[in-house]
Each structure stands twice: as structure tokens, then as C-alpha cells.
Coordinates of all heavy atoms in Angstrom, one line a residue:
Q408 N 0.8 -1.2 0.0 CA 0.0 0.0 0.0 C 0.9 1.3 0.0 O 0.5 2.3 -0.5 CB -0.9 0.1 1.2 CG -2.1 -0.9 1.1 CD -2.9 -1.1 2.4 OE1 -2.7 -0.4 3.3 NE2 -4.0 -1.8 2.3
N409 N 2.1 1.1 0.6 CA 2.9 2.3 0.7 C 3.9 2.3 -0.6 O 4.6 3.3 -0.8 CB 3.9 2.2 1.8 CG 3.1 2.3 3.2 OD1 2.0 3.0 3.2 ND2 3.4 1.5 4.1
A410 N 3.7 1.4 -1.5 CA 4.4 1.3 -2.8 C 3.4 1.1 -3.9 O 3.4 0.0 -4.5 CB 5.5 0.3 -2.8
P411 N 2.6 2.0 -4.3 CA 1.4 1.7 -5.1 C 1.9 1.4 -6.4 O 2.9 1.7 -7.0 CB 0.6 3.1 -5.0 CG 1.7 4.0 -4.7 CD 2.6 3.5 -3.8
T412 N 1.0 0.8 -7.3 CA 1.2 0.5 -8.7 C 1.2 1.8 -9.5 O 0.9 2.9 -8.9 CB 0.1 -0.4 -9.2 OG1 -1.1 0.1 -9.0 CG2 0.1 -1.8 -8.4
Q413 N 1.5 1.7 -10.7 CA 1.5 2.9 -11.5 C 0.2 3.7 -11.6 O 0.1 4.8 -11.5 CB 1.9 2.5 -12.9 CG 2.1 3.7 -13.9 CD 2.6 3.3 -15.2 OE1 2.8 2.1 -15.4 NE2 2.8 4.2 -16.2
N414 N -0.8 2.9 -11.5 CA -2.2 3.5 -11.3 C -2.6 3.1 -9.9 O -2.8 2.1 -9.6 CB -3.1 2.8 -12.4 CG -4.5 3.3 -12.2 OD1 -4.9 4.2 -11.4 ND2 -5.5 2.8 -13.0
P415 N -2.7 4.2 -9.2 CA -3.1 4.0 -7.7 C -4.4 3.5 -7.5 O -4.9 2.9 -6.4 CB -3.0 5.4 -7.1 CG -3.1 6.3 -8.1 CD -2.5 5.6 -9.4
F416 N -5.3 3.6 -8.5 CA -6.7 3.0 -8.4 C -6.9 1.5 -8.9 O -7.9 1.0 -8.9 CB -7.6 4.0 -9.2 CG -7.7 5.4 -8.5 CD1 -7.0 6.4 -9.2 CD2 -8.3 5.5 -7.3 CE1 -7.0 7.7 -8.7 CE2 -8.4 7.0 -6.8 CZ -7.8 7.9 -7.4
A417 N -5.7 1.1 -9.5 CA -5.8 -0.3 -10.0 C -6.0 -1.3 -9.0 O -5.3 -1.2 -7.9 CB -4.4 -0.5 -10.8
P418 N -6.8 -2.3 -9.1 CA -7.0 -3.2 -8.1 C -5.9 -4.2 -7.9 O -5.1 -4.4 -8.9 CB -8.3 -4.0 -8.5 CG -8.3 -3.8 -10.0 CD -7.7 -2.5 -10.3
E419 N -5.7 -4.8 -6.9 CA -4.7 -6.0 -6.7 C -5.3 -7.2 -7.2 O -6.5 -7.6 -7.1 CB -4.4 -6.1 -5.2 CG -3.6 -5.1 -4.5 CD -2.2 -5.2 -4.8 OE1 -1.8 -6.2 -5.5 OE2 -1.4 -4.3 -4.4
T420 N -4.5 -7.8 -8.2 CA -4.9 -9.0 -8.8 C -4.5 -10.2 -8.0 O -3.3 -10.4 -7.7 CB -4.4 -9.1 -10.2 OG1 -4.8 -8.0 -11.0 CG2 -4.7 -10.4 -11.0
I421 N -5.4 -11.1 -7.7 CA -5.1 -12.3 -6.8 C -5.6 -13.5 -7.7 O -6.8 -13.6 -7.9 CB -5.8 -12.2 -5.5 CG1 -5.3 -11.0 -4.8 CG2 -5.4 -13.5 -4.7 CD1 -6.1 -10.8 -3.5
L422 N -4.7 -14.4 -8.1 CA -5.0 -15.6 -8.7 C -5.5 -16.7 -7.8 O -4.6 -16.9 -6.9 CB -4.0 -16.1 -9.7 CG -3.5 -15.0 -10.8 CD1 -2.5 -15.7 -11.8 CD2 -4.7 -14.4 -11.5
I423 N -6.5 -17.3 -7.9 CA -7.0 -18.4 -7.1 C -7.4 -19.6 -7.7 O -7.8 -19.5 -8.9 CB -8.2 -17.9 -6.1 CG1 -9.1 -16.9 -6.9 CG2 -7.6 -17.0 -4.9 CD1 -10.1 -17.5 -7.6
P424 N -7.4 -20.7 -7.1 CA -7.8 -22.0 -7.7 C -9.3 -22.1 -8.1 O -9.7 -22.8 -9.0 CB -7.4 -23.1 -6.7 CG -7.4 -22.5 -5.4 CD -7.0 -21.0 -5.7
H425 N -10.1 -21.4 -7.3 CA -11.5 -21.5 -7.6 C -12.3 -20.3 -6.9 O -11.6 -19.7 -5.9 CB -12.2 -22.9 -7.1 CG -11.8 -23.2 -5.7 ND1 -12.4 -22.7 -4.7 CD2 -11.0 -24.1 -5.3 CE1 -11.9 -23.2 -3.5 NE2 -10.9 -24.1 -4.0
Q426 N -13.4 -20.0 -7.2 CA -14.1 -18.8 -6.6 C -14.4 -19.0 -5.2 O -14.7 -18.1 -4.4 CB -15.4 -18.5 -7.5 CG -15.1 -17.9 -8.8 CD -14.3 -16.6 -8.7 OE1 -14.3 -15.9 -7.8 NE2 -13.3 -16.4 -9.7
G427 N -14.6 -20.3 -4.7 CA -14.9 -20.5 -3.4 C -13.7 -20.0 -2.5 O -13.9 -19.4 -1.4
M428 N -12.5 -20.2 -3.0 CA -11.3 -19.6 -2.3 C -11.4 -18.0 -2.2 O -11.0 -17.4 -1.3 CB -10.0 -20.0 -3.0 CG -8.8 -19.6 -2.4 SD -8.5 -20.3 -0.7 CE -8.1 -22.0 -1.3
A429 N -12.0 -17.4 -3.4 CA -12.0 -15.9 -3.4 C -13.0 -15.5 -2.2 O -12.7 -14.5 -1.6 CB -12.5 -15.5 -4.7
R430 N -14.1 -16.2 -2.0 CA -15.1 -15.7 -1.0 C -14.4 -16.1 0.4 O -14.6 -15.0 1.2 CB -16.3 -16.5 -1.2 CG -17.2 -16.3 -2.3 CD -18.5 -17.0 -2.4 NE -18.3 -18.4 -2.5 CZ -18.3 -19.0 -3.7 NH1 -18.5 -18.3 -4.8 NH2 -18.3 -20.3 -3.8
W431 N -13.7 -17.0 0.5 CA -13.1 -17.3 1.9 C -12.0 -16.2 2.1 O -12.0 -15.6 3.2 CB -12.4 -18.7 1.9 CG -11.7 -18.9 3.2 CD1 -12.3 -19.4 4.3 CD2 -10.3 -18.9 3.5 NE1 -11.4 -19.6 5.3 CE2 -10.2 -19.3 4.8 CE3 -9.2 -18.5 2.8 CZ2 -8.8 -19.3 5.3 CZ3 -8.0 -18.6 3.3 CH2 -7.8 -18.9 4.7
L432 N -11.2 -15.9 1.1 CA -10.1 -15.0 1.2 C -10.7 -13.6 1.5 O -10.1 -12.8 2.4 CB -9.2 -14.9 0.1 CG -7.9 -15.6 0.0 CD1 -7.2 -15.5 -1.3 CD2 -7.1 -15.2 1.2
T433 N -11.8 -13.2 0.9 CA -12.4 -11.9 1.1 C -12.8 -11.8 2.6 O -12.6 -10.6 3.2 CB -13.6 -11.7 0.2 OG1 -13.2 -11.8 -1.2 CG2 -14.2 -10.4 0.5
Q434 N -13.4 -12.9 3.1 CA -13.9 -12.8 4.5 C -12.7 -12.7 5.5 O -12.7 -11.9 6.4 CB -14.7 -14.1 4.8 CG -16.0 -14.2 4.1 CD -16.8 -15.4 4.3 OE1 -16.2 -16.4 4.9 NE2 -18.0 -15.5 4.0
V435 N -11.6 -13.4 5.2 CA -10.4 -13.4 6.1 C -9.8 -12.1 6.1 O -9.4 -11.6 7.1 CB -9.4 -14.5 5.6 CG1 -8.1 -14.4 6.4 CG2 -10.0 -15.9 5.9
I436 N -9.7 -11.5 4.9 CA -9.0 -10.1 4.8 C -9.9 -9.1 5.5 O -9.3 -8.3 6.2 CB -8.8 -9.8 3.3 CG1 -7.7 -10.7 2.7 CG2 -8.3 -8.3 3.2 CD1 -7.6 -10.5 1.2
A437 N -11.2 -9.2 5.3 CA -12.1 -8.2 6.0 C -12.0 -8.4 7.5 O -11.9 -7.3 8.1 CB -13.4 -8.4 5.5
I438 N -12.0 -9.6 8.0 CA -12.0 -9.8 9.4 C -10.6 -9.3 10.1 O -10.7 -8.6 11.1 CB -12.2 -11.3 9.8 CG1 -13.7 -11.7 9.4 CG2 -11.8 -11.6 11.2 CD1 -13.9 -13.2 9.5
R439 N -9.5 -9.6 9.4 CA -8.2 -9.2 9.9 C -7.8 -7.8 9.8 O -7.0 -7.3 10.5 CB -7.2 -10.2 9.3 CG -7.4 -11.6 9.8 CD -6.3 -12.5 9.3 NE -6.6 -14.0 9.4 CZ -5.8 -14.9 8.9 NH1 -4.7 -14.7 8.3 NH2 -6.2 -16.2 9.1

């Protein structure tokens, strides 16, 4: 976050094995 990409509004890209993992990660990141 302190070393932003060239476009500060560009989202972080996260490759995951399936969308179930995306839902779990979103919850974990939000909680922590």
C-alpha cells in the first residue's frame, strides 16, 4: 500500500484455484 502500482486506483490481482477460495479470502481479509 505504501508502494502503489503505476495506477493508484488499479485493483490488486489475486489468482486463486476457484471462486470458493475468493469468498473465503475476502472474509479473512475483511476480518483481519
